[in-house]
């Protein structure tokens, strides 16, 4: 080998070595860059690819399913895969990613415990106190000689004259009394005096007859109490009979305020309950009243209960017909409150979604009470301090329904549900099973939608309808368009499949 050949060979070996070193360095840099940038290792990608995807869906429209990935036709976002092992991981709860929470604009609220009072705020009208009424009647038959300047609505004082009556029967009885008294027989005189009292003569008139010795045939009717002349039934020149009503006087020392309380709020009302009254005629002034009567019959048209309150009227400022607001104070009691928007009402039950942690939620069935402003009283199912979803809970509820997540029931509701289920199944053969053929249309973890043949015993024609699954395992390995023979029962208001057998084509 010449010297020139030796140099060429050495240069070639050096170039090969340099190439190997350069390749090794580049590979090491790329590996370091991958780790620095957070790229998932190939093993993680493989593990993710091994998870079974049931379908793809849009988080904003979770009820719509897609058989392949892509862009949502509803929102400008990619479809999300639904994995088969998610339900097993979540149990009775629901996981929502932080991105979905932000996209949905989800808000939460705290279950608060407050002392609330069952105050009732209604409108009322001032009325005359019908328990403070006096009626003046004629004690004997006679004639109306004079009616004083009185008319219905006039206010009179106690003892004010109302009418002068001329009573012939009294004149005859008084003459007889004077004749008996002239005999100086005390026993006969006492008996004759007693007869005058029985004819209705007041003691003052009998004493006047004895003192003057002259019969008094004219009698002035006076008002027995201060008040308003509600009715005046006599006029000058009229003839009256014994017992005829002449005047009705209504006292004004106290008045009533009558209010119509809605039937739903009438339960806590009690006799003697205090109330605050604010009349339009006296703005800024609050009057005190108390409940004196709760009428025993509700209005069938307005579904209200009439309540009467009484309050004093010493200066006669309160006039019949005035109106105002009445606040009936109820007893204060502790209660749990949640925002009204946090409750989902299905018609059969009320649900809220409780926050278990970041992105974790589970449904709870609650018992509702009264509504106070924009909040609802919760009588069972929640505890003070818990966080509940206050917005976008309908989308979460749709996803929970797809996954078959059942809400936790409040204490005491199981027995009630069993009672309702027993009452509803009494009209249908709940324990009887029916076996028919059908074709699978859709499969979910909790339901199986089938197009089945007619069921003569139930008078059903052939149709397509969903059935609940008694066991989620019954739907395993089932696919749409498969022919099956299935057995179902009616359980409460649901039809539940208890057995499924595939039919080979």
């Amino acid at each position: 080998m010449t010297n020139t050949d030796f140099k060429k060979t050495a240069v070639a070996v050096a170039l090969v070595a340099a190439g190997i070193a350069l390749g090794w360095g580049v590979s090491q840099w790329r590996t370091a860059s991958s780790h620095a940038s957070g790229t998932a290792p190939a093993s993680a990608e493989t593990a993710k690819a091994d998870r079974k995807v049931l379908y793809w869906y849009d988080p904003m429209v979770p009820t719509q399913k897609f058989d392949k990935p892509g862009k949502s036709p509803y929102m400008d976002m990619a479809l999300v895969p639904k994995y088969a092992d998610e339900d097993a991981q979540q149990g009775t709860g629901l996981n929502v990613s932080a991105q979905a929470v932000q996209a949905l604009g989800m808000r939460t609220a705290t279950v608060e415990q407050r002392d609330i009072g069952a105050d009732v705020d209604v409108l009322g009208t001032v009325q005359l106190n019908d328990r403070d009424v006096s009626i003046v009647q004629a004690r004997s038959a006679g004639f109306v000689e004079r009616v004083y300047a009185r008319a219905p609505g006039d206010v009179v004082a106690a003892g004010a004259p109302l009418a002068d009556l001329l009573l012939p029967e009294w004149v005859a009885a008084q003459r007889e009394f004077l004749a008996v008294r002239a005999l100086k027989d005390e026993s006969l005189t006492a008996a004759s005096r007693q007869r005058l009292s029985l004819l209705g003569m007041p003691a003052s008139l009998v004493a006047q007859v004895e003192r003057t010795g002259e019969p008094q045939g004219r009698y002035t009717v006076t008002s027995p109490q201060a008040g308003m002349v509600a009715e005046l039934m006599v006029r000058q020149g009229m003839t009256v009979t014994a017992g005829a009503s002449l005047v009705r006087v209504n006292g004004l020392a106290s008045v009533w305020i009558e209010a119509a309380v809605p039937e739903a709020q009438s339960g806590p009302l009690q006799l003697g309950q205090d109330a605050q009254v604010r009349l339009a005629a006296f703005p800024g002034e609050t009057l005190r009243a108390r409940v004196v009567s709760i009428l025993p019959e509700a209005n069938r048209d307005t579904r209200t209960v009439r309540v009467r309150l009484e309050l004093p009227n010493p200066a006669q400022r309160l006039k019949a017909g005035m109106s105002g607001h009445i606040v009936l104070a109820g007893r204060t009691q502790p209660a749990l409150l949640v925002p009204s928007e946090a409750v989902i009402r299905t018609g059969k039950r009320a649900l809220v979604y409780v926050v278990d942690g970041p992105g974790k939620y589970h449904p709870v069935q609650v018992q509702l009470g009264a509504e106070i402003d924009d909040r609802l009283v919760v009588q069972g199912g929640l505890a003070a301090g818990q966080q509940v979803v206050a917005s976008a809970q309908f989308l979460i509820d749709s996803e929970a329904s797809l996954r078959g997540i059942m809400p936790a029931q409040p204490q005491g509701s199981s027995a009630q549900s069993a009672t309702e289920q027993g009452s509803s199944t009494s009209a249908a053969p709940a324990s009887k099973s029916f076996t028919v053929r059908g074709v699978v249309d859709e499969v979910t973890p909790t339901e199986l939608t089938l197009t089945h043949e007619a069921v003569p015993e139930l008078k059903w024609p052939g149709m397509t309808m969903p059935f609940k699954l008694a066991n989620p395992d019954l739907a395993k390995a089932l696919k749409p368009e498969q022919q099956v023979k299935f057995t179902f029962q009616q359980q409460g208001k649901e039809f539940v499949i208890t057995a499924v057998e595939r039919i080979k084509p």
Side-chain angles (χ1 to χ4, degrees):
M1 177 182 297
T2 64
N3 190 25
T4 302
D5 293 336
F6 176 79
K7 288 182 178 179
K8 290 181 178 179
T9 303
V11 171
V13 172
L15 290 175
V16 171
I20 294 173
L22 181 61
W24 180 83
V26 171
S27 66
Q28 292 297 314
W29 176 81
R30 287 181 176 175
T31 303
S33 298
S34 294
H35 286 290
S37 62
T39 304
S43 58
E45 294 292 342
T46 305
K48 186 173 182 180
D50 290 341
R51 296 177 65 187
K52 182 181 179 181
V53 177
L54 296 177
Y55 54 87
W56 281 262
Y57 67 98
D58 183 345
M60 302 298 291
V61 190
T63 57
Q64 184 65 43
K65 303 174 185 178
F66 302 90
D67 56 359
K68 58 183 179 180
K71 192 174 182 181
S72 170
Y74 307 105
M75 305 293 294
D76 187 15
M77 59 188 300
L79 297 176
V80 178
K82 164 68 175 178
Y83 294 103
D85 58 352
E86 286 182 351
D87 291 335
Q89 294 173 358
Q90 293 170 6
T92 59
L94 187 70
N95 289 340
V96 179
S97 66
Q99 293 82 358
V101 170
Q102 185 176 6
L104 296 174
M106 190 179 300
R107 293 183 292 103
T108 60
T110 304
V111 180
E112 299 180 356
Q113 182 168 0
R114 293 186 192 171
D115 290 335
I116 62 172
D119 291 351
V120 180
D121 192 348
V122 292
L123 295 176
T125 305
V126 178
Q127 297 182 355
L128 296 176
N129 187 348
D130 284 343
R131 293 178 180 172
D132 189 11
V133 175
S134 297
I135 296 179
V136 180
Q137 294 181 319
R139 305 290 181 88
S140 179
F143 308 96
V144 179
E145 191 176 55
R146 178 185 177 187
V147 175
Y148 290 81
R150 306 297 180 194
D154 287 349
V155 177
V156 297
L162 300 175
D164 288 341
L165 301 181
L166 186 61
L167 306 174
E169 293 183 6
W170 281 16
V171 174
Q174 291 170 12
R175 290 184 184 280
E176 182 180 339
F177 167 72
L178 293 175
V180 171
R181 193 184 66 158
L183 298 175
K184 307 295 184 182
D185 189 329
E186 292 297 332
S187 60
L188 291 178
T189 302
S192 182
R193 187 183 295 108
Q194 180 69 22
R195 180 169 178 267
L196 296 181
S197 298
L198 294 176
L199 288 175
M201 298 182 196
S204 58
L205 181 61
V206 175
Q208 182 181 359
V209 171
E210 283 192 277
R211 185 178 63 255
T212 61
E214 295 290 336
Q216 302 292 328
R218 183 179 292 104
Y219 173 65
T220 301
V221 177
T222 60
S223 176
Q225 67 172 7
M228 184 191 75
V229 177
E231 282 188 89
L232 184 63
M233 288 81 79
V234 294
R235 288 292 184 267
Q236 185 172 341
M238 289 180 58
T239 300
V240 295
T241 58
S245 296
L246 307 177
V247 182
R248 182 166 69 90
V249 180
N250 214 126
L252 299 176
S254 64
V255 293
W256 281 350
I257 294 186
E258 188 166 298
V261 178
E263 181 182 355
Q265 298 177 290
S266 64
L269 297 179
Q270 295 180 349
L271 292 177
Q273 183 175 349
D274 293 332
Q276 296 180 350
V277 181
R278 296 187 296 272
L279 298 177
F282 310 106
E285 184 176 352
T286 301
L287 306 176
R288 299 286 180 178
R290 64 183 181 89
V291 177
V292 295
S293 180
I294 302 173
L295 273 63
E297 186 175 4
N299 189 306
R300 293 178 175 84
D301 297 328
T302 61
R303 308 313 306 168
T304 56
V305 176
R306 291 169 61 196
V307 178
R308 287 174 181 162
L309 300 93
E310 184 177 332
L311 68 164
N313 186 28
Q316 298 181 7
R317 295 192 308 157
L318 307 181
K319 315 297 183 184
M322 286 183 174
S323 62
H325 284 272
I326 300 173
V327 179
L328 297 164
R331 292 173 294 180
T332 302
Q333 56 185 356
L336 295 177
L337 298 175
V338 297
S340 301
E341 60 182 351
V343 180
I344 301 175
R345 306 192 197 198
T346 64
K348 295 182 181 179
R349 59 189 179 184
L351 301 177
V352 297
Y353 277 82
V354 177
V355 180
D356 296 326
K360 296 182 179 180
Y361 314 92
H362 75 276
V364 173
Q365 182 176 342
V366 294
Q367 296 174 349
L368 300 178
E371 185 170 5
I372 302 174
D373 297 331
D374 58 346
R375 294 183 175 268
L376 285 169
V377 175
V378 178
Q379 297 176 339
L382 296 177
Q386 286 183 306
Q387 293 287 321
V388 296
V389 180
S391 66
Q393 67 271 32
F394 288 96
L395 297 176
I396 299 178
D397 186 59
S398 299
E399 182 67 15
S401 300
L402 289 175
R403 300 185 184 184
I405 298 175
M406 300 300 294
Q409 293 186 349
Q411 294 182 356
S413 62
S414 299
Q416 180 180 0
S417 299
T419 303
E420 293 176 355
Q421 180 176 346
S423 63
S424 63
T425 56
S426 60
S431 61
K432 187 174 181 179
S433 298
F434 305 92
T435 302
V436 293
R437 293 174 178 265
V439 178
V440 177
D441 288 334
E442 186 179 0
V443 181
T444 69
T446 59
E447 282 188 351
L448 192 61
T449 303
L450 298 155
T451 300
H452 62 80
E453 61 188 12
V455 186
E457 294 179 86
L458 293 176
K459 298 182 180 180
W460 283 5
M463 57 183 172
T464 302
M465 64 179 290
F467 292 85
K468 294 291 184 181
L469 292 172
N471 187 346
D473 293 338
L474 295 174
K476 284 185 176 180
L478 290 181
K479 298 179 180 179
E481 300 184 1
Q482 282 186 338
Q483 295 185 4
V484 295
K485 181 171 69 173
F486 63 98
T487 301
F488 69 93
Q489 294 179 346
Q490 183 178 355
Q491 297 180 5
K493 296 183 179 180
E494 305 286 350
F495 292 93
V496 182
I497 293 178
T498 57
V500 180
E501 179 184 350
R502 285 184 293 173
I503 300 175
K504 296 180 180 181

